[in-house]
């Protein structure tokens, strides 16, 4: 993709509305002051007052229990129509770091991290474009680490503590994720991403605007569209939020 070699500046704060917004505000402030923004900034927090997933989804996280962070990178020469490379890279970085602690991991398209049928982490990516290139990218991650119980109406959260019965050092885990991401940003990762996809083999139930159907995953396009073949042999192509997994 592009050679990263990022010198990560890691910032820890007690509380913020959201780590993505915190980085956006800092990016604006630095741009006004210095005329440029340095990539490689990472902020992680004990608690988010307005943590969110994609769209209007909220992210439940008990104070001081989980790994809530965002990072800023400036991918050199990455075309806007290849931006899904960044989603694949951060997804695989999480899987690689978590794989040192647990098995049975997968990536639920486009970038949720699953342990079996439970959601272990969610990722929110926000890109800024400059012409047909990506100017910079903020990746926000909510990873369930040491939380013992969940109380929201989210259907299937799971934490590392619930899987292993042990506390995990969150800062060390963050370091492992960043270490993996550095390598992945400089690597051709499409095949590795495909091999880690949740329900990557066989027919499974999905639903779209027309209702429920059975299909198998046959590919993911460079721009992130999911390709499914249904039981009638017809290929279906979906952008994010156009299709849902039935779990």
């Amino acid at each position: 993709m592009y050679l990263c070699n990022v010198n990560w500046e890691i910032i820890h704060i007690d509380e913020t509305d959201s780590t993505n917004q915190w980085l956006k505000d800092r990016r604006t402030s630095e741009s006004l002051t210095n005329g440029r923004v340095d990539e490689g900034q990472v902020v992680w927090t004990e608690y988010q007052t307005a943590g969110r997933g994609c769209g209007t989804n909220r992210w439940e996280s008990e104070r001081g229990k989980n790994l809530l962070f965002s990072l800023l990178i400036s991918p050199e020469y990455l075309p806007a129509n290849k931006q899904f490379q960044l989603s694949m890279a951060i997804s695989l970085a999480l899987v690689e770091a978590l794989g040192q602690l647990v098995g049975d991991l997968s990536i639920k398209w486009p970038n949720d991290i699953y342990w079996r049928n439970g959601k272990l982490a969610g990722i929110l990516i926000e890109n800024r474009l400059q012409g047909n290139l990506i100017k910079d990218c903020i990746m926000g991650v909510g990873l369930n680490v040491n939380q013992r119980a969940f109380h929201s109406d989210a259907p299937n959260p799971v934490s590392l503590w619930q899987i292993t019965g042990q506390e995990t050092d969150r800062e060390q885990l963050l370091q492992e994720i960043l270490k993996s991401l550095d390598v992945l940003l400089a690597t051709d990762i499409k095949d590795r991403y495909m091999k880690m996809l949740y329900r990557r083999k066989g027919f499974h139930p999905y639903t779209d605007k027309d209702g429920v159907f059975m299909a198998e995953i046959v590919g993911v396009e460079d721009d992130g569209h999911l390709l499914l073949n249904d039981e009638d042999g017809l290929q279906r192509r979906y952008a994010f939020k156009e299709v849902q997994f039935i779990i």
Side-chain angles (χ1 to χ4, degrees), residues 201-239:
K201 295 181 181 179
F203 283 80
H204 299 277
Y206 298 84
T207 182
D208 63 10
K209 61 182 178 61
D210 297 318
V212 176
F213 62 97
M214 298 289 292
E216 62 177 350
I217 295 174
V218 294
V220 176
E221 296 181 333
D222 288 344
D223 63 1
H225 281 84
L226 179 67
L227 301 179
L228 301 175
N229 275 357
D230 65 23
E231 289 183 306
D232 295 323
L234 298 176
Q235 187 168 103
R236 301 173 180 234
R237 179 176 182 267
Y238 295 100

Side-chain angles (χ1 to χ4, degrees), residues 78-94:
L78 184 63
N81 62 3
K82 302 281 189 180
Q83 60 188 278
F84 194 67
Q85 294 277 346
L86 301 172
S87 181
M88 291 192 293
I90 186 62
S91 301
L92 286 168
L94 284 167

Side-chain angles (χ1 to χ4, degrees), residues 144-188:
N144 299 326
V145 181
N146 295 321
Q147 188 159 333
R148 300 193 177 195
F150 295 90
H151 307 288
S152 74
D153 57 0
N156 59 340
V158 68
S159 69
L160 282 176
W161 187 90
Q162 291 175 328
I163 299 167
T164 66
Q166 297 178 341
E167 294 274 321
T168 299
D169 186 314
R170 293 172 297 146
E171 188 170 6
Q172 182 178 342
L173 181 55
L174 174 59
Q175 293 281 1
E176 291 299 322
I177 293 167
L178 296 176
K179 188 188 302 182
S180 291
L181 183 61
D182 263 342
V183 175
L184 290 162
L185 286 170
T187 309
D188 185 357

Side-chain angles (χ1 to χ4, degrees), residues 25-38:
D25 293 342
R26 185 175 188 187
R27 180 179 64 187
T28 300
S29 175
E30 290 189 356
S31 181
L32 290 173
T33 303
N34 305 320
R36 67 183 183 86
V37 180
D38 292 329

